């Protein structure tokens, strides 16, 4: 059953969906009156809703049954990464949303070729937010991850000062150092904590940037023996977070 | 340093690279005489090689230093999945290669829209093998994963009869059953075993198909509370395999 996000929840009332969602329900999913859909309301409540009426291409639903099973991870997980080239960043937003991320921070580093610029950034953010919303609907998340754009590493470090655990992914092909740090992270109780993981772009982070993060208290973690692409490393990390917070 | 795969290894001899690899080294990576590249030879040996000569657009290298650190997982991991629509299957081949998979089996199921057909299948396999080779080079794998095409589930079950562990990914949104089976799998010693994981296409596997696998001794495993897309589920699974076989 497909899920949609809507803003308010008014108890025991019919709810009219917006034009975009109505179009998707009627034309893409081909739903009819008395078919069911999931709706996640802004406060995090999720309901099985009955399609009560279709009024001039607007879908009107009635929330029938609250769904009490949370699909959210028991911690707040944030990934921070410079924007990647082409569609890679869109791919990463989609996949990390499926994998339960709460916040995706984009920042400029020394080596990322695709820079965040002030002009057109609002358009880009809207597009990224749309990708996150659609992926959250598809994977039946309770929330839509936030997309946050920060100027540079200094702003990132200051913005994330209050996180409980802060790690930086560090590839060291030859020696695979940092794996113990990853193990130690996942030995901790991850319930109700906030966790930030920073990744480099295609060209990686510079030694100078890595030093800035470690000086600010970030722990370097290794991600196995192979060289993962920039967009694959966060997916690997989030998969481990799911395992250790939800399955183990 | 970029890596290339070549077929034979002749000890202490100069080695001429083929036209494709020479083109990539000279035109894409812009390497010159006395620059270094990695070469993985068919037997699994990996060397740092010196570019000794460039002869009429052919790169001639001399293997200087054997690299003894394996980038292969300590087990043989196989994923089996029906072909996915559009570029999703290519994406999955690339990502699962980065994540250390050994074999990728494609098979027809009841619900996969993108069917494997006899005509043009050789072209498709060549394309998929090229994607696997390039991803293996980029992630510095010791081997290139094999792409295996099987007709249907019966052929898959019989082909994989000898695997040590066989699991089937099973999404049960409401109750998240199967997580204990995943935990039990990762409690095992994964060294030197063979592991097969079967996934459905966009439409999932039918109940009838799931029953066929369980009758054949496959264990159902859950992959967390969210609904993962068909191409994301194997990536999540392989990430966990890396963690439990290589990092833990």
């Amino acid at each position: 059953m497909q899920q949609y996000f809507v803003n308010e929840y008014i108890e025991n009332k019919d709810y009219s969906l917006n034009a975009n969602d109505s179009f998707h329900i009627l034309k893409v999913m081909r739903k009819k009156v008395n078919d069911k859909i999931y709706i996640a309301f802004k406060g995090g409540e999720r309901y099985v809703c009955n399609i009560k009426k279709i009024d001039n291409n607007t879908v009107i639903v009635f929330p029938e049954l609250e769904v009490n099973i949370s699909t959210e991870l028991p911690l707040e997980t944030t990934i921070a990464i410079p924007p990647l080239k082409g569609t890679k960043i869109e791919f990463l937003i989609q996949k990390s949303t499926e994998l339960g991320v709460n916040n995706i921070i984009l920042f400029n580093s020394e080596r990322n070729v695709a820079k965040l610029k002030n002009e057109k950034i609002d358009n880009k953010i809207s597009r990224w937010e749309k990708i996150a919303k659609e992926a959250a609907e598809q994977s039946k998340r309770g929330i839509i991850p936030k997309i946050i754009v920060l100027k540079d590493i200094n702003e990132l470090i200051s913005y994330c000062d209050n996180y409980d655990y802060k790690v930086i992914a560090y590839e060291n092909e030859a020696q695979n150092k940092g794996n113990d740090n990853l193990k130690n992270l996942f030995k901790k109780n991850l319930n109700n904590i906030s966790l930030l993981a920073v990744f480099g772009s295609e060209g990686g982070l510079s030694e100078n940037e890595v030093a800035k993060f470690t000086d600010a208290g970030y722990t370097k973690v290794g991600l196995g023996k192979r060289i993962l692409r920039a967009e694959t490393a966060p997916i690997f990390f989030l998969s481990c977070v799911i395992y250790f917070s939800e399955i183990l």
Side-chain angles (χ1 to χ4, degrees), chain A residues 125-175:
Chain A
I125 295 178
S126 299
R127 179 161 172 74
W128 293 333
E129 285 174 340
K130 185 164 179 274
I131 291 166
K133 177 172 182 284
E134 288 173 357
E137 287 175 347
Q138 188 271 335
S139 56
K140 300 199 173 61
R141 294 281 306 272
I143 61 147
I144 305 169
K146 281 198 200 115
I147 310 285
I148 299 155
V149 170
L150 299 178
K151 205 173 59 198
D152 56 23
I153 287 184
N154 296 330
E155 206 171 291
L156 172 61
I157 288 174
S158 122
Y159 185 89
C160 297
D161 195 36
N162 290 326
Y163 273 78
D164 294 318
Y165 300 125
K166 293 176 270 196
V167 302
I168 169 170
Y170 184 71
E171 305 221 62
N172 183 321
E173 195 187 338
Q175 295 180 299

Side-chain angles (χ1 to χ4, degrees), chain A residues 73-87:
Chain A
L73 293 173
L75 72 162
E76 184 181 352
T77 312
T78 301
I79 59 169
I81 189 165
L84 305 175
K85 283 195 274 185
T87 56

Side-chain angles (χ1 to χ4, degrees), chain A residues 44-105:
Chain A
E45 313 91 349
R46 290 170 70 220
Y47 280 82
V48 174
C49 292
N50 182 49
I51 299 179
K52 200 171 156 182
K53 217 159 56 174
I54 296 162
D55 186 2
N56 203 10
N57 291 326
T58 294
V59 172
I60 296 155
V61 297
F62 183 78
E64 283 190 337
L65 181 71
E66 184 159 12
V67 182
N68 284 316
I69 295 162
S70 168
T71 54
E72 293 302 309
L73 293 173
L75 72 162
E76 184 181 352
T77 312
T78 301
I79 59 169
I81 189 165
L84 305 175
K85 283 195 274 185
T87 56
K88 283 181 201 163
I89 193 66
E90 301 183 356
F91 158 79
L92 178 58
I93 290 169
Q94 185 192 66
K95 293 296 164 241
S96 52
T97 299
E98 284 179 66
L99 295 168
V101 80
N102 292 81
N103 308 292
I104 300 165
I105 297 177

Side-chain angles (χ1 to χ4, degrees), chain A residues 78-82 105 107 109 153 156-157 160 165-170 195-201 205 209-210 213 218-221 223 233-234 237:
Chain A
T78 301
I79 59 169
I81 189 165
I105 297 177
F107 65 98
S109 67
I153 287 184
L156 172 61
I157 288 174
C160 297
Y165 300 125
K166 293 176 270 196
V167 302
I168 169 170
Y170 184 71
L195 168 63
L196 167 69
V198 178
F199 301 86
S201 66
L205 296 166
E209 290 174 320
V210 171
F213 283 113
Y218 288 60
T219 305
K220 291 192 229 177
V221 294
L223 304 178
F237 183 81

Side-chain angles (χ1 to χ4, degrees), chain A residues 160-215:
Chain A
C160 297
D161 195 36
N162 290 326
Y163 273 78
D164 294 318
Y165 300 125
K166 293 176 270 196
V167 302
I168 169 170
Y170 184 71
E171 305 221 62
N172 183 321
E173 195 187 338
Q175 295 180 299
N176 219 11
K177 283 180 186 169
N179 281 354
D180 279 350
N181 292 338
L182 192 68
K183 273 160 61 176
N184 291 336
L185 173 67
F186 291 131
K187 275 183 200 153
K188 295 178 198 290
N189 181 349
L190 299 178
N191 271 330
N192 296 317
I193 60 112
S194 56
L195 168 63
L196 167 69
V198 178
F199 301 86
S201 66
E202 294 88 349
L205 296 166
S206 72
E207 283 306 312
N208 176 36
E209 290 174 320
V210 171
K212 262 193 191 175
F213 283 113
T214 51
D215 288 350

